[in-house]
Amino acid sequence: LQRAAYLCMADCCDGDGSQQALQQCFQKCNQPVEAAAQYYQAETQRFQQRIQRCAQECQDSAQDQLRGREDDQKQVAKAEAVFGKCVAKCADNNAGVMKGLIKDIDAKLKEIAKK
């Protein structure tokens, strides 16, 4: 994708157009790269938010379990263990999502590259 954009921009320099025409040509060449970057960023952000939401739910659950017993070290240790298991479950549950996300991103990048 990057290579194609650079080659396209090199072709822009072959013409005798104005500076404005050259800039427009460069922008057109770079559109697929920008589209790919935006798509990748959006999908990555969605995945990160998903993980953060899950971790926040784990934290809320651990805090609910601890409510009113924050001074009891045994209960604190128990809540920390519950939190750790919950976060590990978040990671396990989302590992499959990550595989699908990678496939989707790859397919989208290939689609953008064909345009």
Side-chain angles (χ1 to χ4, degrees):
L1 206 53
Q2 283 281 358
R3 183 176 188 274
Y6 289 133
L7 292 173
C8 178
M9 285 186 230
D11 289 342
C12 293
C13 296
D14 289 343
D16 290 333
S18 67
Q19 185 68 24
Q20 184 179 4
L22 184 64
Q23 286 298 332
Q24 287 174 343
C25 185
F26 284 173
Q27 287 174 348
K28 183 179 178 190
C29 292
N30 206 37
Q31 282 176 346
V33 174
E34 289 178 16
Q38 288 174 355
Y39 177 79
Y40 176 80
Q41 183 177 11
E43 290 300 314
T44 302
Q45 186 175 23
R46 270 187 42 221
F47 182 75
Q48 288 173 337
Q49 288 170 344
R50 180 185 195 124
I51 297 293
Q52 288 170 345
R53 282 192 309 272
C54 189
Q56 183 63 51
E57 288 177 17
C58 294
Q59 184 175 356
D60 291 346
S61 179
Q63 286 176 343
D64 289 346
Q65 184 177 352
L66 211 85
R67 188 161 288 127
R69 298 179 280 191
E70 292 87 356
D71 294 334
D72 184 342
Q73 291 304 314
K74 195 180 267 189
Q75 288 300 319
V76 169
K78 190 175 178 182
E80 287 174 352
V82 166
F83 175 75
K85 287 179 185 176
C86 183
V87 170
K89 188 175 178 183
C90 288
D92 290 343
N93 289 345
N94 284 290
V97 172
M98 176 61 102
K99 290 177 185 175
L101 178 62
I102 291 169
K103 286 181 183 178
D104 291 347
I105 289 172
D106 186 51
K108 183 68 172 183
L109 293 178
K110 287 177 181 175
E111 177 187 320
I112 289 170
K114 288 181 183 179
K115 290 181 181 179

